[in-house]
Amino acid sequence: MNDADKKRLLREMIFYRRFEDRTFEAYMERKIGGFLHLYTGQEAVATGVLEMARTGQGADNDYVITGYRDHVHAIKTGAAPREVMAELYGKETGSSKGRGGSMHIFDASQNFMGGYALVGQPFPLAAGLAMGCKHKGTDQIAICFLGDGANNQGTFHETMNMAKVWNLPVLFVCENNQYAIGTHINRSTAVLDQYKRVCAYDMEASQHDGMDIDIVMEASKKAIDFVRSGKGPYFIEFMTYRYRGHSMSDAKGYRTKEEEAEWQKRDPIKIYTERLIEAGIIKAADIKTMEKEIDDEIENDIIKFAEESPEPKVEDLTKYVLDDNPDPRWVGPLHK
Amino acid sequence: MAEIAYWEAIRRAHDEEMANDKLVIAMGEDIGVAGGTYKATFGLYDKYGPERIIDTPISENSYTGIGIGASMAGMRPIIEIMSINFALLALDTLINAAAKIHYMSGGQISCPIVMRTPGGTAHQLAAQHSARLARMFMSTSGLRVVTPRGPLDAYGMLKSAVRSNDPVIIIEHEQMYNLKEDIPDEEFFRPLEGAEVVREGSDITLIGYNYSVHLCLQAAKRLEADGISAEVLDLRALKPLDRESIRKSVEKTHRVLVAEEDEAPVGVGAEIMAVITEDCFYALDAQPVRIHAADVPVPYNAKLEKAAIPSADDVYHGALKVMGKI
Ligand SMILES: Cc1ncc(C[n+]2csc(CCOP(=O)(O)OP(=O)(O)O)c2C)c(N)n1
Ligand SMILES: [Mg+2]
C-alpha cells in the first residue's frame, strides 16, 4: 500500500464520519424519516475489510451483505454516496429508488446485496450468495457483516453448519460493539468472544482490534485469501464500538460516559491520522483541507442531489412488487 | 401422451429444467440420496450429483435463506419443504426477504426461487402435519402462489415457476401425489396466472383450488344426476388472483359456492367472497356459500378429522343450499 492509498483511506474514513454526521442533521430537520442507524466509531472495520475485498468493479465485485447499519458498507462497496443519501431522502434517484430507505440500501450493479432489518437474516443469504459463486465457478466470495447480537439467532448456527459442510466461500465479519441496542453482550451471551462460537462447526476463526485499520486490513487479507482460495468459510471478529445511540431514539442510559471516553481514546480516525502524520505522509494542516473538501462535497453535491431529486410517483406504487421483466431466456407465455 | 402421476410430473419438470440450465438446483431434506419424501426428485441425485440435488440439514429458515441468496446471485433454486407446516420456520426468509427484496431494492434484485411444499390434510396426520397455509402466502405481496390440481399443471407450472423471476410458492397436496393424468410427451409450459373452467355448467359455479377442485368435480357429478348443471372453476393461482374469470362465471350462472380446505376465518374463501361482492354483486340470484374446514387444529381421531375437513358431500349439500333445494 503506497502513501497515496493511505491518504485515500484516511480520507474515506473521515468522509464516512462526516456523511453519517450529516444524515443525523438531516434526520433532525425531518428530511430523513424512519429508523436511522449510524456507523460512527466503527469505520475502520468496513473500510479495512472491504479495502482488502474486490470492490468498485461492478459485476466482478465480491458480494457484500449486511444489516440495517449499512450506509458505509454500501458506499465502500461501490454505491454512489449521492444515491445513498437520496435513498435516505426517499427519492426516486436513491439506490433503491426510494423504496428501501436507510436500512435497505441496495446496489446490484456493485453486488451490494442489501441491508436487512431482521437481525440474523443475512447469514443464510450470504451463504447462498457464496453458493452461487461456487456453483458458477467464479472466484468471487460473499462477505457478511453483522453485529455481535445477531449471533444469538438460530440462523447463525444453521448457517455456520451449512457453510462449513458445503465449504462455501463466505467470510462472516462480526462487528462486536458489545451492545445489541441497550443490552450489553455479557447479559445476553454465554460466550463473550464471538469467534470462539464457531469452533462448534470447526470453522476457521480469529479475533482482532477493530479500531486500528492496519490491523483490520492485515487480518482481513489473510481471511479473504483463505476464503478465495477455496478453503471454505471464515469467521472474523473485530472489537469495536458505536459512539452514537443504537438509532436516533436512544439516550444511551445503559452505558457510562467513562466507557465511551475510554473507547474514543482509540478512535479509528485519530489512530490512523496520528500514524500518517508520524510517518510524514500527511501534515496536520492537510487534514483541515481534507475536511473542508469533504464537507463541500457532501453539501454541494450529495445533499444538493438528494434535496433536488424527485420523489417516486404515486402511480408507481405497485411497481417492483413482482418482476416486470420476465426472464429473457423464456419462450412462450409464462404468466398469462 | 402418457398417463403419469403427479409426483412423476414434478420429477420430470425438475429433470428437464436441470438439464436445460446448470443454474437450476434443488434443495431440501431427504431429496437426494433418499430420493425425496414424495419422490419428486427420485433418481436425480445420481444424474446431477450432490452439488445440484442438495440434501440439507433440518434448518428450514437458513436453507431457504441460502436458496434465496443463491437466487440473488443468479441461481434458480427449487426449494422443497417437506410439509407446509415446516414452512413456518422459513417464514422470515420467505416473507421478510424473498417477497420484499425486489421491491425494496427498487427492482434491482430478483429472487427467482421456487418453493414447493405439500399443503393439505392427509389421513390422521394430526394438528402439526395438517396445516393448510395457502391464505398466509396469498396475503403476502411480492409472492406468486400457485396450486396445481393435477399432473398437467404440476409439471407445466413448475417449469414456468423455475423460469419466472419472482419467488413462486407451489402448494401441492399429500393426497394428490399419486393422482394420474395424460400429459403430452413434448415439453410444454403452463401459465402461473389465470383460473380455468374445468367443467362447463350453467346453474351454479363451484370455485376451488388445489385439492378442493376435485371435491367440486365430484359434487358436480352428483348435482348433474339431480338435474343441476354445475360449472367448476379452478383458481390455479391464488396470487395474483384472476378476478375476471370469477366474474365471468358468476355472471353466467348467477349462483356460486367457494370450496376450500383451509379454515374459514380470514381464509382464501373470504377473499373470494369479497371479490364476488365487489365485482358481481348484482349478478347474484342467491346467497353464496362457503365450504371450509372447521376452525380447529386438525384432530388426530379419524371421525373428528372427517368432521373438521370438508368433503365432496359437503360441497354437494352446500350447492343444494345455494340452489334453494334444501
Ligand atoms: C429478528 C429481529 N429481532 C429483533 C430486532 C430488533 N433489533 C434491531 S437491532 C437489534 C440489536 C442488534 O445488535 P447487533 O447485532 O449487535 O448489531 P448492532 O446494532 O450492534 O450493530 C435488535 C434487537 C430485529 N430488528 N430483528
Ligand atoms: Mg452490537
PDB file of all heavy atoms in Angstrom, chain B residues 134-151:
ATOM      1  N   ALA B 134     -52.330 -21.767   2.687  1.00  0.00           N
ATOM      2  CA  ALA B 134     -52.444 -21.029   1.433  1.00  0.00           C
ATOM      3  C   ALA B 134     -52.775 -19.567   1.681  1.00  0.00           C
ATOM      4  O   ALA B 134     -52.202 -18.667   1.053  1.00  0.00           O
ATOM      5  CB  ALA B 134     -53.518 -21.669   0.556  1.00  0.00           C
ATOM      6  N   ARG B 135     -53.681 -19.332   2.616  1.00  0.00           N
ATOM      7  CA  ARG B 135     -54.138 -17.965   2.852  1.00  0.00           C
ATOM      8  C   ARG B 135     -53.015 -17.033   3.301  1.00  0.00           C
ATOM      9  O   ARG B 135     -53.029 -15.846   3.033  1.00  0.00           O
ATOM     10  CB  ARG B 135     -55.270 -17.954   3.866  1.00  0.00           C
ATOM     11  CG  ARG B 135     -54.889 -18.475   5.239  1.00  0.00           C
ATOM     12  CD  ARG B 135     -56.158 -18.613   6.075  1.00  0.00           C
ATOM     13  NE  ARG B 135     -55.921 -19.015   7.440  1.00  0.00           N
ATOM     14  CZ  ARG B 135     -55.653 -20.258   7.815  1.00  0.00           C
ATOM     15  NH1 ARG B 135     -55.514 -21.211   6.912  1.00  0.00           N
ATOM     16  NH2 ARG B 135     -55.499 -20.557   9.093  1.00  0.00           N
ATOM     17  N   MET B 136     -52.045 -17.623   4.012  1.00  0.00           N
ATOM     18  CA  MET B 136     -50.970 -16.783   4.523  1.00  0.00           C
ATOM     19  C   MET B 136     -50.060 -16.292   3.388  1.00  0.00           C
ATOM     20  O   MET B 136     -49.685 -15.128   3.337  1.00  0.00           O
ATOM     21  CB  MET B 136     -50.159 -17.598   5.510  1.00  0.00           C
ATOM     22  CG  MET B 136     -49.228 -16.793   6.337  1.00  0.00           C
ATOM     23  SD  MET B 136     -48.412 -17.874   7.492  1.00  0.00           S
ATOM     24  CE  MET B 136     -47.659 -18.998   6.355  1.00  0.00           C
ATOM     25  N   PHE B 137     -49.743 -17.205   2.478  1.00  0.00           N
ATOM     26  CA  PHE B 137     -48.918 -16.798   1.341  1.00  0.00           C
ATOM     27  C   PHE B 137     -49.717 -15.908   0.396  1.00  0.00           C
ATOM     28  O   PHE B 137     -49.198 -14.967  -0.184  1.00  0.00           O
ATOM     29  CB  PHE B 137     -48.387 -18.024   0.605  1.00  0.00           C
ATOM     30  CG  PHE B 137     -47.454 -18.838   1.449  1.00  0.00           C
ATOM     31  CD1 PHE B 137     -47.778 -20.122   1.846  1.00  0.00           C
ATOM     32  CD2 PHE B 137     -46.247 -18.299   1.876  1.00  0.00           C
ATOM     33  CE1 PHE B 137     -46.917 -20.861   2.646  1.00  0.00           C
ATOM     34  CE2 PHE B 137     -45.383 -19.032   2.679  1.00  0.00           C
ATOM     35  CZ  PHE B 137     -45.718 -20.316   3.065  1.00  0.00           C
ATOM     36  N   MET B 138     -51.014 -16.225   0.273  1.00  0.00           N
ATOM     37  CA  MET B 138     -51.880 -15.444  -0.618  1.00  0.00           C
ATOM     38  C   MET B 138     -51.937 -13.986  -0.182  1.00  0.00           C
ATOM     39  O   MET B 138     -52.135 -13.098  -0.998  1.00  0.00           O
ATOM     40  CB  MET B 138     -53.279 -16.058  -0.584  1.00  0.00           C
ATOM     41  CG  MET B 138     -54.269 -15.413  -1.515  1.00  0.00           C
ATOM     42  SD  MET B 138     -55.902 -16.094  -1.186  1.00  0.00           S
ATOM     43  CE  MET B 138     -56.787 -15.496  -2.615  1.00  0.00           C
ATOM     44  N   SER B 139     -51.756 -13.746   1.100  1.00  0.00           N
ATOM     45  CA  SER B 139     -51.864 -12.367   1.574  1.00  0.00           C
ATOM     46  C   SER B 139     -50.503 -11.681   1.690  1.00  0.00           C
ATOM     47  O   SER B 139     -50.386 -10.641   2.300  1.00  0.00           O
ATOM     48  CB  SER B 139     -52.589 -12.340   2.923  1.00  0.00           C
ATOM     49  OG  SER B 139     -51.826 -13.025   3.876  1.00  0.00           O
ATOM     50  N   THR B 140     -49.477 -12.290   1.080  1.00  0.00           N
ATOM     51  CA  THR B 140     -48.146 -11.675   1.145  1.00  0.00           C
ATOM     52  C   THR B 140     -47.761 -11.061  -0.198  1.00  0.00           C
ATOM     53  O   THR B 140     -47.508 -11.786  -1.165  1.00  0.00           O
ATOM     54  CB  THR B 140     -47.092 -12.727   1.553  1.00  0.00           C
ATOM     55  OG1 THR B 140     -47.450 -13.251   2.827  1.00  0.00           O
ATOM     56  CG2 THR B 140     -45.705 -12.097   1.648  1.00  0.00           C
ATOM     57  N   SER B 141     -47.711  -9.756  -0.263  1.00  0.00           N
ATOM     58  CA  SER B 141     -47.318  -9.084  -1.503  1.00  0.00           C
ATOM     59  C   SER B 141     -45.907  -9.486  -1.888  1.00  0.00           C
ATOM     60  O   SER B 141     -45.039  -9.607  -1.029  1.00  0.00           O
ATOM     61  CB  SER B 141     -47.330  -7.567  -1.319  1.00  0.00           C
ATOM     62  OG  SER B 141     -48.566  -7.162  -0.828  1.00  0.00           O
ATOM     63  N   GLY B 142     -45.708  -9.672  -3.180  1.00  0.00           N
ATOM     64  CA  GLY B 142     -44.360  -9.977  -3.654  1.00  0.00           C
ATOM     65  C   GLY B 142     -44.136 -11.459  -3.925  1.00  0.00           C
ATOM     66  O   GLY B 142     -43.065 -11.843  -4.389  1.00  0.00           O
ATOM     67  N   LEU B 143     -45.130 -12.278  -3.606  1.00  0.00           N
ATOM     68  CA  LEU B 143     -45.018 -13.705  -3.913  1.00  0.00           C
ATOM     69  C   LEU B 143     -45.984 -14.041  -5.044  1.00  0.00           C
ATOM     70  O   LEU B 143     -46.980 -13.363  -5.234  1.00  0.00           O
ATOM     71  CB  LEU B 143     -45.418 -14.561  -2.702  1.00  0.00           C
ATOM     72  CG  LEU B 143     -44.596 -14.465  -1.430  1.00  0.00           C
ATOM     73  CD1 LEU B 143     -45.215 -15.350  -0.354  1.00  0.00           C
ATOM     74  CD2 LEU B 143     -43.142 -14.879  -1.690  1.00  0.00           C
ATOM     75  N   ARG B 144     -45.683 -15.110  -5.752  1.00  0.00           N
ATOM     76  CA  ARG B 144     -46.672 -15.772  -6.600  1.00  0.00           C
ATOM     77  C   ARG B 144     -47.052 -17.056  -5.886  1.00  0.00           C
ATOM     78  O   ARG B 144     -46.181 -17.728  -5.332  1.00  0.00           O
ATOM     79  CB  ARG B 144     -46.080 -16.122  -7.967  1.00  0.00           C
ATOM     80  CG  ARG B 144     -45.843 -14.935  -8.861  1.00  0.00           C
ATOM     81  CD  ARG B 144     -45.286 -15.365 -10.205  1.00  0.00           C
ATOM     82  NE  ARG B 144     -45.166 -14.208 -11.062  1.00  0.00           N
ATOM     83  CZ  ARG B 144     -46.182 -13.690 -11.761  1.00  0.00           C
ATOM     84  NH1 ARG B 144     -47.368 -14.270 -11.758  1.00  0.00           N
ATOM     85  NH2 ARG B 144     -46.010 -12.613 -12.484  1.00  0.00           N
ATOM     86  N   VAL B 145     -48.326 -17.395  -5.904  1.00  0.00           N
ATOM     87  CA  VAL B 145     -48.779 -18.611  -5.237  1.00  0.00           C
ATOM     88  C   VAL B 145     -49.629 -19.409  -6.205  1.00  0.00           C
ATOM     89  O   VAL B 145     -50.636 -18.908  -6.702  1.00  0.00           O
ATOM     90  CB  VAL B 145     -49.609 -18.281  -3.971  1.00  0.00           C
ATOM     91  CG1 VAL B 145     -49.978 -19.570  -3.245  1.00  0.00           C
ATOM     92  CG2 VAL B 145     -48.852 -17.349  -3.048  1.00  0.00           C
ATOM     93  N   VAL B 146     -49.212 -20.629  -6.507  1.00  0.00           N
ATOM     94  CA  VAL B 146     -49.968 -21.462  -7.430  1.00  0.00           C
ATOM     95  C   VAL B 146     -50.306 -22.804  -6.792  1.00  0.00           C
ATOM     96  O   VAL B 146     -49.602 -23.276  -5.896  1.00  0.00           O
ATOM     97  CB  VAL B 146     -49.221 -21.678  -8.773  1.00  0.00           C
ATOM     98  CG1 VAL B 146     -48.990 -20.349  -9.476  1.00  0.00           C
ATOM     99  CG2 VAL B 146     -47.907 -22.415  -8.571  1.00  0.00           C
ATOM    100  N   THR B 147     -51.395 -23.406  -7.267  1.00  0.00           N
ATOM    101  CA  THR B 147     -51.926 -24.611  -6.636  1.00  0.00           C
ATOM    102  C   THR B 147     -52.326 -25.637  -7.699  1.00  0.00           C
ATOM    103  O   THR B 147     -53.505 -25.791  -7.993  1.00  0.00           O
ATOM    104  CB  THR B 147     -53.177 -24.247  -5.812  1.00  0.00           C
ATOM    105  OG1 THR B 147     -54.102 -23.548  -6.686  1.00  0.00           O
ATOM    106  CG2 THR B 147     -52.864 -23.344  -4.648  1.00  0.00           C
ATOM    107  N   PRO B 148     -51.351 -26.306  -8.301  1.00  0.00           N
ATOM    108  CA  PRO B 148     -51.674 -27.243  -9.382  1.00  0.00           C
ATOM    109  C   PRO B 148     -52.625 -28.355  -8.929  1.00  0.00           C
ATOM    110  O   PRO B 148     -52.377 -28.997  -7.916  1.00  0.00           O
ATOM    111  CB  PRO B 148     -50.317 -27.814  -9.787  1.00  0.00           C
ATOM    112  CG  PRO B 148     -49.316 -27.303  -8.817  1.00  0.00           C
ATOM    113  CD  PRO B 148     -49.924 -26.226  -8.006  1.00  0.00           C
ATOM    114  N   ARG B 149     -53.680 -28.562  -9.682  1.00  0.00           N
ATOM    115  CA  ARG B 149     -54.696 -29.555  -9.278  1.00  0.00           C
ATOM    116  C   ARG B 149     -54.392 -30.948  -9.808  1.00  0.00           C
ATOM    117  O   ARG B 149     -55.015 -31.919  -9.408  1.00  0.00           O
ATOM    118  CB  ARG B 149     -56.075 -29.124  -9.776  1.00  0.00           C
ATOM    119  CG  ARG B 149     -56.207 -29.245 -11.286  1.00  0.00           C
ATOM    120  CD  ARG B 149     -57.597 -29.130 -11.844  1.00  0.00           C
ATOM    121  NE  ARG B 149     -57.553 -29.325 -13.290  1.00  0.00           N
ATOM    122  CZ  ARG B 149     -57.250 -28.374 -14.162  1.00  0.00           C
ATOM    123  NH1 ARG B 149     -56.982 -27.144 -13.746  1.00  0.00           N
ATOM    124  NH2 ARG B 149     -57.216 -28.644 -15.445  1.00  0.00           N
ATOM    125  N   GLY B 150     -53.450 -31.054 -10.768  1.00  0.00           N
ATOM    126  CA  GLY B 150     -53.158 -32.362 -11.345  1.00  0.00           C
ATOM    127  C   GLY B 150     -51.809 -32.343 -12.027  1.00  0.00           C
ATOM    128  O   GLY B 150     -51.115 -31.318 -12.049  1.00  0.00           O
ATOM    129  N   PRO B 151     -51.402 -33.493 -12.600  1.00  0.00           N
ATOM    130  CA  PRO B 151     -50.084 -33.612 -13.212  1.00  0.00           C
ATOM    131  C   PRO B 151     -49.782 -32.567 -14.287  1.00  0.00           C
ATOM    132  O   PRO B 151     -48.648 -32.092 -14.386  1.00  0.00           O
ATOM    133  CB  PRO B 151     -50.105 -35.021 -13.809  1.00  0.00           C
ATOM    134  CG  PRO B 151     -51.045 -35.777 -12.929  1.00  0.00           C
ATOM    135  CD  PRO B 151     -52.103 -34.790 -12.535  1.00  0.00           C
TER     136      PRO B 151
END
